[in-house]
């Protein structure tokens, strides 16, 4: 199947096709493409006569021929709620810094993408007020890293940061400790090195913390003992 996004006869709310497939943990129903949901009952909108729009989703999670870098114009999707890209082997480059303009973004999922896709995550991504989940897993690129410095806002709502099996390198930056709403922090199976920041003990809401399979020093900061909500703490094999 193909979608011609430039067709004058196809409304942007109908730039999708519905698929049914087994795709844990996302569920079996895949409206693949770009779609909008209405504010009243969550139905998918099909034309300009249906309103009001609650949010837009960009959901491209099946094998196709997407290639090259994500364009900076993606930042124009200010009402986009979810961005999901899966199994695009020809994507290249890092995520654009303009993603910080996607003010309505709630979740980002990047799974099983190709060997030339990756880079430093944009610092602007961690400054979005409504972003709840970042899930980056099993991508083949070797250049992933976290930004060295982020000015985290007081109203940041990020609860889940999962960066699993992506060859993330560098240190674990201390600014992560400013994500006060964080409940899940999974950095397992990467190439992080250096020490676990002492400031990690400030994550008063974290319940699941996994650092398995990295190149961290053996010194465990005493501040981890102050994680009052922790249910699972995994630091080594």
């Amino acid at each position: 199947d193909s979608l011609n996004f430039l067709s004058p006869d196809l409304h942007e709310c109908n730039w999708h096709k519905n698929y049914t497939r087994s795709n844990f943990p996302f569920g079996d129903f895949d409206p693949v493409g770009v779609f909008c949901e209405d504010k009243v009952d969550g139905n998918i909108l099909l034309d300009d006569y249906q309103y009001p729009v609650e949010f837009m989703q960009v959901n491209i999670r099946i094998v196709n021929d997407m290639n090259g870098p994500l364009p900076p114009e993606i930042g124009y999707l200010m009402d986009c709620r979810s961005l999901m890209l899966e199994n695009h082997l020809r994507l290249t480059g890092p995520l654009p810094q303009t993603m910080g303009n996607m003010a309505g973004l709630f979740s980002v999922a990047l799974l099983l993408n190709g060997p030339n896709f990756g880079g430093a995550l944009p610092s602007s991504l961690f400054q979005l007020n409504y972003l709840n989940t970042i899930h980056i897993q099993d991508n083949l690129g070797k250049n992933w890293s976290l930004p060295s410095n982020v000015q985290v806002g007081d109203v940041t709502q990020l609860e889940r940061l999962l960066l699993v099996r992506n060859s993330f390198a560098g240190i674990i930056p201390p600014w992560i400790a400013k994500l006060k709403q964080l409940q899940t922090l999974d950095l397992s199976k990467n190439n992080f090195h250096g020490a676990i920041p002492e400031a990690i003990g400030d994550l008063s809401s974290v319940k699941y913390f996994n650092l398995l399979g990295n190149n961290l020093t053996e010194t465990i900061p005493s501040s981890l003992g102050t994680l009052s909500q922790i249910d699972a703490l995994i630091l080594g094999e």
Side-chain angles (χ1 to χ4, degrees), residues 106-117:
F106 182 83
S107 65
V108 175
L110 308 172
L111 312 174
L112 299 165
N113 294 295
N116 297 314
F117 180 57

Side-chain angles (χ1 to χ4, degrees), residues 2-205:
S2 63
L3 296 172
N4 180 4
F5 290 175
L6 301 180
S7 169
D9 301 318
L10 189 62
H11 183 264
E12 60 269 21
C13 288
N14 201 22
W15 284 347
H16 70 274
K17 292 182 180 294
N18 294 331
Y19 293 86
T20 300
R21 65 181 184 127
S22 178
N23 186 34
F24 181 83
F26 297 107
D28 295 332
F29 176 66
D30 257 352
V32 175
V34 179
F35 64 96
C36 303
E37 294 187 6
D38 72 29
K39 196 169 185 177
V40 179
D41 53 17
N43 289 331
I44 294 175
L45 305 183
L46 300 179
D47 56 47
D48 285 325
Y49 299 101
Q50 295 179 292
Y51 62 87
V53 175
E54 174 70 5
F55 58 81
M56 175 188 291
Q57 294 201 32
V58 178
N59 177 16
I60 306 176
R61 300 202 323 253
I62 60 174
V63 178
N64 57 46
D65 199 29
M66 285 187 66
N67 62 84
L70 291 176
E73 289 81 5
I74 197 170
Y76 292 142
L77 299 176
M78 291 180 289
D79 294 325
C80 181
R81 191 171 188 266
S82 299
L83 174 64
M84 295 169 276
L85 300 173
E86 179 184 336
N87 210 352
H88 299 291
L89 298 181
R90 298 175 61 194
L91 279 177
T92 63
L95 299 178
Q97 191 72 232
T98 54
M99 287 184 67
N101 297 326
M102 301 173 73
L105 200 59
F106 182 83
S107 65
V108 175
L110 308 172
L111 312 174
L112 299 165
N113 294 295
N116 297 314
F117 180 57
L121 297 185
S123 58
S124 60
L125 193 63
F126 296 92
Q127 296 171 324
L128 291 170
N129 290 342
Y130 299 107
L131 188 61
N132 175 274
T133 300
I134 299 174
H135 187 179
I136 303 176
Q137 182 167 340
D138 291 322
N139 296 282
L140 300 178
K142 302 298 183 183
N143 297 315
W144 294 95
S145 64
L146 286 166
S148 59
N149 187 35
V150 175
Q151 299 297 320
V152 177
D154 294 334
V155 294
T156 302
Q157 299 299 310
L158 191 66
E159 294 183 0
R160 303 176 72 241
L161 179 59
L162 300 96
L163 312 176
V164 182
R165 291 191 296 269
N166 296 283
S167 298
F168 270 88
I171 66 169
I172 299 174
W175 61 259
I176 284 183
K178 297 179 182 179
L179 300 171
K180 299 301 185 182
Q181 303 302 317
L182 205 60
Q183 298 181 22
T184 298
L185 178 57
D186 190 343
L187 307 180
S188 61
K189 303 298 180 68
N190 287 291
N191 294 316
F192 288 111
H193 66 265
I196 302 171
E198 186 74 30
I200 289 292
D202 294 337
L203 291 174
S204 56
S205 298

